[in-house]
Amino acid sequence: MADYLIALAGNPNAGKSTIFNALTGARQHVGNWPGKTVEKKSGLFRYRETEIEIVDLPGAYSLSAFSPEEVIARDFLLEARPDLVVTVLDAANLERNLYLAVQILELGAPAVVVLNMADVAESQGLTIDDERLSQALKAPVVRTVGRREQGIDQLVETVYQQLIRRDKGAGPSRPAEVTLERL
Amino acid sequence: MATPVTRHRKIASTEPPVASSPTTPASFAIDYGPEAEAVLVAIQTEIEHAPTLCEQYPPRWLAIQIVERDEDILRRLQASAEGASLLKRADRHIQRLAEVYGDDADIVLTDHRYGWINTLVRQVVTRPDEEKVTLSERLDRVLTHRVLGLPIFLAAMWAVFKLTSDVTAPYLDWISGVISGPVTEWAIALFHFLGLGGTWVESLVVDGVIAGVGGVLVFVPVLMSLYLALAVLEDSGYMARAAFLMDRLMQPLGLHGKSFLPMIVGFGCTVPAIYATRTLENRRDRVLTGLLVPFMSCSARLPVYVLFAAIFFPGRAGLVIFGIYMLGIAAAVLLGLVLKRTLFQGNDGAAFVMELPPYRVPTLRSIWLHMWRRTSSFMHKAWTVIMVMSIVVWALMAIPAGPGRGAFAHTEIDDSIFATAAQAIAPVFAPLGFGSWQASGSLITGFVAKEVVVSTLGQTYGAEVAATGDETPPQAVNPVQDLVRIGAGFVQATVDTIKSIPLIVGIDLFPHDESPEPSALMSSIQRSFAATSGGHAGLAGLAFMVFVLLYTPCIVAVTAARHEFGARWMWTSVIGQFALAWIAAFLVFQGGLLLGLG
């Protein structure tokens, strides 16, 4: 059994699967969610002697029970209680993508927020204040360009730090600082 | 991290997961405003007095779901006594909120959440001074334009169709040329060298195995080009727009906007069309589209129509062929309507929400992965089936039906057990007007591939001189020269492909420049059909064309259907198509007789 269980959440088209592939490489298992025709992907990766299992939640726009995907994602967060939820946001469509992220945070799951497709947002002339976002969401923010595997190393490190911090019971983490350290 | 880590479940069961847990980062919460917060806190306190609920759900989160009237959560709470009494007490609090907000109390939180996000985005995101109209938006103004959108879409579909049919043709010719030319010659030369020239082993390898390999390989360029087109359409973001445009048209058939592409591709070849159903997200839509796609008459069926129309309807051949294509579309529409009301009910009233992702330039790597992975997966699954069928047909034609009717692999086709088998099933087709063993035999080989229907008819009616390796003495093989020839052929195919790209724009649906079949064959078929139909050869010929249109496209399409939809749907499709083809041909022939036609 892996040391930690983490979940990967995000809207459809936010680039969740490229992040998932970049994290797990070939160590993937594809099956179905119990009793559903929705595909379930899970994988393993190892970082600093720590084995982390990651479950790719179905793409969803919210955690309200409107579609089977949303119910699956919600039930997994409620029942399996992952140690951490990595929430992937399409940086170019932040407002729409934040709805799911906010609902995940409201569920009380410790989270790492990923601003994916940061290059597209930049090309549209958008500048995003990561630090403020991180303060408001009370979670560390990492920038990635999943298609080019940019920012993946930093994501792994942030995930690891969050998991360790949580284990040590080091009290409330200071997410903004984590992001700053990485920069 | 050698020490085993306390797993999630442990932490969760001993203490409430939110707020009080020291491991949760300073708990995230949105301020929903004084009235709503008062209600949330009140409900949260109620929840904290219900230990089992507390263990299952984070209390504040549960309070939010109750106020938002989340149906799934309410149902779950109702199921337990504790939950039901909680809901009763919560209703009192919610009532207070309703007094402030009226009927909309349940969306107060959702509204607040959107407001909170909107404020956050305004603080965090700096937009460029003058709002830049993105390239995506500019493209969408043209591509999803209410007038221009449809013609552009049809042009794109036409391009995909031409790409999978005409543009790949030079490569198809090249592959079949290499297989039937150098590869076959090398094999024959090898067998002669081994002293096995003219034996049944040579015949098995040349007419069975090598022909089977060729049968699989010819699909490689077709599938590669299809996956190229699909990858570009999907990764660029155009597919979502196309689906949006076509949705209204396809909806009455119980289909999705994205079903249109497989249908179009089906006029080229059914196999890539079945794989093109993958672009549909929903399994119901995929299977339904996959069942209808075979009725789009694929290009391999065209030579049959051309031959039969020339025999039975000279002068009106074009019209008859066009009618056959239309009949296929009509069959798909009718079947779609029937299936939508029977096997595929549901999903109709569901709101249809589709995201239009921004246009992106697809990466070469992802296009290549699409093309290669999907094509090789097909090869992997299909080659055994095709090889076995190819060898079975070869064996049937090689085994003499009795003593004195030739030796194994040296028998005339009329003396083989293939003729016996065809004779045995011929009565099935008698009510359709074509109960001869030659006609049923060509339908058997047509099950393997429609391309061979005409050549089987040629062989069985004895109008074609059997041109196998037996008669031509093996020529001296020059591998170097052959390799040069193969290489040059590939270059030529590439040149021809590039040259044929402008063809994508041209409309050339019924090429009548096919080499005319020997008139001996035409009159043999005419006589034979007249004999089996009691003098109504025209009706029988038409019934035969209808049957070829509607029955199983080919063994490769069947394999593709199993690959994509599973064995159950494959059999449903095979049996359904056969039944439909038989009934339709029966109606054409017997109906025609009743009406005194032909």
Side-chain angles (χ1 to χ4, degrees):
Chain A
M1 194 179 214
D3 298 319
Y4 293 102
L5 173 69
I6 69 176
L8 187 67
N11 284 12
N13 289 315
K16 216 158 46 72
S17 35
T18 50
I19 301 272
F20 181 77
N21 291 340
L23 285 175
T24 58
R27 297 179 73 189
Q28 296 186 4
H29 174 77
V30 182
N32 274 3
W33 291 90
K36 300 278 167 42
T37 51
V38 179
E39 189 179 84
K40 176 181 183 175
K41 279 197 293 184
S42 61
L44 282 171
F45 66 97
R46 177 169 277 280
Y47 184 70
R48 297 208 196 160
E49 305 285 296
T50 307
E51 186 126 276
I52 300 172
E53 183 182 356
I54 179 162
V55 172
D56 189 14
L57 298 179
Y61 295 104
S62 79
L63 286 187
S64 319
F66 291 131
S67 71
E69 285 80 8
E70 288 164 343
V71 173
I72 288 169
R74 183 164 85 182
D75 286 352
F76 183 80
L77 295 177
L78 279 173
E79 283 154 23
R81 300 265 164 106
D83 298 298
L84 188 81
V85 183
V86 176
T87 308
V88 182
L89 307 182
D90 172 359
N93 290 295
L94 203 53
E95 187 154 353
R96 170 160 57 70
N97 279 248
L98 272 171
Y99 197 83
L100 176 73
V102 163
Q103 285 196 317
I104 288 172
L105 291 164
E106 282 190 309
L107 195 54
V112 168
V113 172
V114 175
L115 280 182
N116 193 31
M117 300 194 264
D119 57 335
V120 180
E122 264 166 49
S123 75
Q124 291 178 6
L126 303 174
T127 37
I128 299 173
D129 187 342
D130 300 20
E131 202 184 321
R132 254 183 122 156
L133 186 65
S134 167
Q135 276 166 357
L137 298 178
K138 301 197 166 77
V141 171
V142 181
R143 272 172 191 260
T144 57
V145 180
R147 294 203 301 166
R148 284 189 234 120
E149 302 209 357
Q150 279 173 17
I152 299 298
D153 292 347
Q154 199 200 325
L155 173 61
V156 172
E157 173 68 24
T158 311
V159 164
Y160 175 77
Q161 291 297 344
Q162 287 298 105
L163 290 170
I164 294 300
R165 197 172 286 244
R166 214 178 97 103
D167 259 4
K168 283 183 185 154
S173 60
R174 283 147 295 166
E177 213 169 280
V178 177
T179 330
L180 283 179
E181 276 168 23
R182 299 296 118 222
L183 300 171
Chain B
M1 283 297 303
T3 43
V5 182
T6 41
R7 280 298 304 256
H8 18 282
R9 226 167 280 284
K10 263 267 156 60
I11 304 167
S13 55
T14 49
E15 50 202 347
V18 200
S20 51
S21 163
T23 54
T24 313
S27 61
F28 171 90
I30 289 178
D31 185 351
Y32 286 106
E35 295 93 356
E37 282 297 332
V39 171
L40 284 176
V41 169
I43 297 176
Q44 197 179 330
T45 319
E46 304 272 10
I47 295 167
E48 275 157 6
H49 288 109
T52 26
L53 291 178
C54 239
E55 214 170 89
Q56 259 179 302
Y57 306 101
R60 182 177 165 89
W61 180 82
L62 186 58
I64 293 173
Q65 306 312 307
I66 292 173
V67 176
E68 286 190 302
R69 324 279 332 139
D70 185 284
E71 281 177 28
D72 184 51
I73 293 291
L74 293 186
R75 206 178 316 121
R76 290 187 203 189
L77 289 177
Q78 289 291 4
S80 75
E82 207 179 23
S85 84
L86 169 72
L87 281 182
K88 224 172 260 157
R89 275 169 285 143
D91 273 342
R92 256 194 358 231
H93 301 296
I94 296 173
Q95 208 50 46
R96 265 195 293 162
L97 205 56
E99 279 159 25
V100 183
Y101 288 99
D103 291 344
D104 305 331
D106 53 333
I107 61 161
V108 171
L109 300 191
T110 316
D111 268 357
H112 246 95
R113 197 176 296 126
Y114 276 117
W116 188 90
I117 290 170
N118 183 268
T119 315
L120 174 65
V121 168
R122 263 187 285 153
Q123 286 171 352
V124 164
V125 180
T126 321
R127 290 176 193 282
D129 290 340
E130 78 272 31
E131 190 64 49
K132 205 159 71 176
V133 183
T134 62
L135 186 63
S136 265
E137 284 164 343
R138 267 179 288 162
L139 281 171
D140 263 341
R141 277 183 203 167
V142 180
L143 295 178
T144 57
H145 189 270
R146 62 173 57 219
V147 180
L148 292 174
L150 204 60
I152 292 175
F153 165 74
L154 291 176
M157 291 301 106
W158 184 251
V160 174
F161 169 69
K162 289 302 238 184
L163 183 72
T164 53
S165 51
D166 290 8
V167 175
T168 54
Y171 287 109
L172 294 187
D173 293 345
W174 175 71
I175 288 177
S176 52
V178 170
I179 297 285
S180 62
V183 172
T184 305
E185 284 161 22
W186 293 344
I188 291 172
L190 182 68
F191 281 111
H192 277 267
F193 176 75
L194 295 173
L196 291 167
T199 62
W200 68 269
V201 184
E202 182 195 73
S203 171
L204 168 66
V205 171
V206 172
D207 300 328
V209 177
I210 294 180
V213 172
V216 183
L217 285 181
V218 288
F219 283 97
V220 171
V222 179
L223 286 173
M224 291 270 249
S225 66
L226 170 84
Y227 290 136
L228 169 69
L230 284 187
V232 171
L233 287 175
E234 282 194 322
D235 290 2
S236 68
Y238 184 68
M239 191 67 102
R241 274 86 179 169
F244 166 74
L245 282 167
M246 291 316 294
D247 205 60
R248 198 187 282 179
L249 195 77
M250 303 304 277
Q251 211 65 153
L253 303 183
L255 291 173
H256 185 274
K258 285 189 184 173
S259 308
F260 198 77
L261 178 89
M263 297 288 181
I264 293 289
V265 172
F267 285 111
C269 175
T270 311
V271 174
I274 285 174
Y275 285 107
T277 60
R278 277 193 195 177
T279 54
L280 293 145
E281 280 99 25
N282 184 318
R283 186 173 156 83
R284 169 195 174 273
D285 294 336
R286 279 203 296 271
V287 174
L288 181 53
T289 309
L291 289 179
L292 301 184
V293 146
F295 298 114
M296 304 297 118
S297 187
C298 71
S299 57
R301 289 172 238 184
L302 184 58
V304 182
Y305 308 151
V306 170
L307 175 65
F308 275 72
I311 297 172
F312 297 108
F313 306 98
R316 280 173 299 163
L319 191 68
V320 170
I321 294 171
F322 182 74
I324 290 286
Y325 273 83
M326 287 299 127
L327 181 69
I329 297 172
V333 169
L334 285 176
L335 193 63
L337 289 172
V338 170
L339 288 176
K340 180 193 162 191
R341 279 174 180 71
T342 53
L343 287 176
F344 291 86
Q345 274 171 329
N347 267 38
D348 261 353
F352 176 58
V353 181
M354 192 164 44
E355 185 183 357
L356 299 184
Y359 290 101
R360 290 179 195 136
V361 178
T363 61
L364 283 176
R365 183 164 165 265
S366 116
I367 291 179
W368 173 248
L369 280 179
H370 276 291
M371 287 169 68
W372 178 245
R373 279 205 195 139
R374 292 173 176 181
T375 307
S376 61
S377 145
F378 159 78
M379 301 284 291
H380 200 74
K381 302 244 171 175
W383 80 271
T384 37
V385 180
I386 296 169
M387 191 63 84
V388 167
M389 285 305 291
S390 173
I391 292 172
V392 166
V393 171
W394 170 82
L396 285 176
M397 294 195 186
I399 301 170
R405 307 184 71 169
F408 183 61
H410 287 283
T411 178
E412 289 301 315
I413 190 161
D414 346 15
D415 291 328
S416 70
I417 61 167
F418 176 78
T420 316
Q423 188 70 63
I425 62 158
V428 174
F429 301 109
L432 315 183
F434 46 88
S436 67
W437 76 268
Q438 291 95 335
S440 58
S442 75
L443 292 175
I444 298 176
T445 57
F447 178 73
V448 180
K450 285 286 166 296
E451 287 89 339
V452 297
V453 169
V454 171
S455 65
T456 306
L457 285 169
Q459 272 177 296
T460 52
Y461 283 111
E464 220 173 48
V465 187
T468 50
D470 306 75
E471 283 124 43
T472 41
Q475 292 140 356
V477 171
N478 183 342
V480 179
Q481 199 188 322
D482 281 343
L483 285 175
V484 170
R485 234 168 66 203
I486 292 171
F490 185 80
V491 173
Q492 187 59 43
T494 309
V495 171
D496 287 346
T497 300
I498 294 166
K499 275 200 219 151
S500 71
I501 287 173
L503 246 181
I504 290 178
V505 197
I507 296 177
D508 186 20
L509 230 157
F510 305 117
H512 286 295
D513 53 351
E514 312 253 329
S515 52
E517 297 302 322
S519 55
L521 173 60
M522 289 172 69
S523 49
S524 310
I525 292 177
Q526 168 89 49
R527 274 199 305 278
S528 163
F529 272 59
T532 53
S533 64
H536 301 279
L539 277 177
L542 191 61
F544 187 83
M545 289 162 82
V546 168
F547 193 88
V548 168
L549 165 74
L550 297 174
Y551 91 117
T552 323
C554 66
I555 186 71
V556 190
V558 172
T559 313
R562 197 190 63 190
H563 190 187
E564 289 301 291
F565 315 125
R568 201 167 62 91
W569 283 115
M570 176 198 85
W571 286 111
T572 310
S573 164
V574 168
I575 294 165
Q577 284 160 353
F578 188 86
L580 199 70
W582 196 90
I583 292 167
F586 180 84
L587 289 178
V588 166
F589 184 66
Q590 299 293 344
L593 285 184
L594 275 179
L595 294 173
L597 301 173

